[in-house]
Amino acid sequence: MAHGAANLVISGLRERIQHLEGTPTRLKQVLPFGVADIDNRLPGGGLAFGALHEFAGGGAGTVDGAAAALMVAGIAAQTKGQVIWCLTRPDLFFPALAQAGLHPNRVIFVESDKEDDVLASMEEALAYGGLGAVVGELVRLPMTASRRLHLAAEKTGTIGLAVRRWRRQTEATDYGQPTAASTRWRVSVLPSEELPVPGVGRARWFLELLRVRAGECAEFEVSACDAAGQIAISYSGRDQNARTANRA
């Protein structure tokens, strides 16, 4: 066999293997956080479009769960196009989403009675294409269902964002089960940033990257999403003093 023909055969085999593994040969676009410490941990330098990503609060309480939802809102705010938000509980506080950069005129809420309907709505929206992001609030995300969502996102290039919200602590243990998501994150609330005057500073989160394909886990302390949906690395007063001393 000629050298050129052999290369064509090898290239074809590689494409077939990558297709079976669910990793297309085309380079995926990414949505960077704009924070080097985080983006450097992610393949391509950001969250991949055409993929599913998971987010959950650090505990079973509503405070951490709300932080996870606000982080997802900030991510969705940085995409272009309409955002589909699928849920079973209409308890989102929209002014808070707007403060994270996601404004009312961009969001279409799809409310269902059952989580199976949320999964079906997410899959249909991801397969439709042309959307900025598709968000779904879920208690459980079985491997088969997550795989269907990931494949639907992959075909259209839409980013899928699963927010895992629990009503009780026993449900939170399901977050350790494997899924087809490209990344898995956990968000916990930290004390707000200190101000030189009395008042409440910018919210802070403890952000954990629990899983990433072709990457390593990591932890970050960040300032919560601003009006443009952007987060930033946050330092406590003690850490900031140490950094200032090191520069001196």
Side-chain angles (χ1 to χ4, degrees):
M1 183 181 294
H3 182 69
N7 286 341
L8 288 175
V9 172
I10 293 173
S11 177
L13 288 173
R14 285 175 177 168
E15 290 183 1
R16 290 182 62 186
I17 292 171
Q18 288 175 328
H19 176 73
L20 291 172
E21 291 178 342
T23 54
T25 54
R26 67 179 184 275
L27 183 63
K28 286 184 177 179
Q29 293 183 334
V30 299
L31 179 65
F33 283 97
V35 180
D37 289 355
I38 301 176
D39 291 336
N40 290 340
R41 296 277 187 167
L42 300 171
L47 292 178
F49 283 96
L52 178 67
H53 305 275
E54 276 187 279
F55 297 82
T62 57
V63 175
D64 288 343
L70 289 175
M71 181 170 180
V72 166
I75 293 169
Q78 297 175 65
T79 65
K80 296 180 180 180
Q82 293 294 113
V83 175
I84 301 294
W85 197 300
C86 308
L87 71 169
T88 58
R89 292 181 290 171
D91 59 353
L92 290 175
F93 185 57
F94 214 101
L97 299 187
Q99 287 181 345
L102 189 58
H103 296 284
N105 60 352
R106 290 194 56 201
V107 184
I108 299 173
F109 288 103
V110 180
E111 186 179 348
S112 306
D113 293 330
K114 301 178 181 178
E115 287 209 345
D116 287 345
D117 295 333
V118 170
L119 289 168
S121 298
M122 286 184 69
E123 184 177 354
E124 184 174 351
L126 287 168
Y128 177 79
L131 298 168
V134 176
V135 181
E137 297 186 13
L138 300 160
V139 173
R140 293 181 174 82
L141 183 59
M143 172 60 83
T144 300
S146 68
R147 183 62 176 163
R148 290 177 64 94
L149 294 177
H150 184 80
L151 289 174
E154 196 172 60
K155 290 178 181 178
T156 60
T158 304
I159 191 168
L161 304 168
V163 185
R164 308 291 299 276
R165 295 184 66 189
W166 301 290
R167 297 176 178 84
R168 55 188 67 88
Q169 182 63 43
T170 53
E171 295 174 338
T173 58
D174 187 70
Y175 201 49
Q177 300 300 316
T179 68
S182 292
T183 63
R184 174 179 284 177
W185 304 80
R186 187 161 57 195
V187 187
S188 303
V189 173
L190 294 173
S192 300
E193 292 180 354
E194 298 178 2
L195 296 176
V197 295
V200 179
R202 184 174 174 180
R204 297 171 62 243
W205 299 332
F206 181 59
L207 180 60
E208 299 170 83
L209 175 56
L210 300 177
R211 179 181 181 273
V212 54
R213 292 182 181 178
E216 298 181 354
C217 302
E219 298 175 352
F220 315 93
E221 290 189 12
V222 301
S223 298
C225 297
D226 61 15
Q230 296 281 347
I231 61 173
I233 292 295
S234 175
Y235 301 98
S236 65
R238 182 177 59 185
D239 291 340
Q240 189 64 52
N241 291 337
R243 288 165 63 85
T244 302
N246 290 334
R247 295 194 191 103

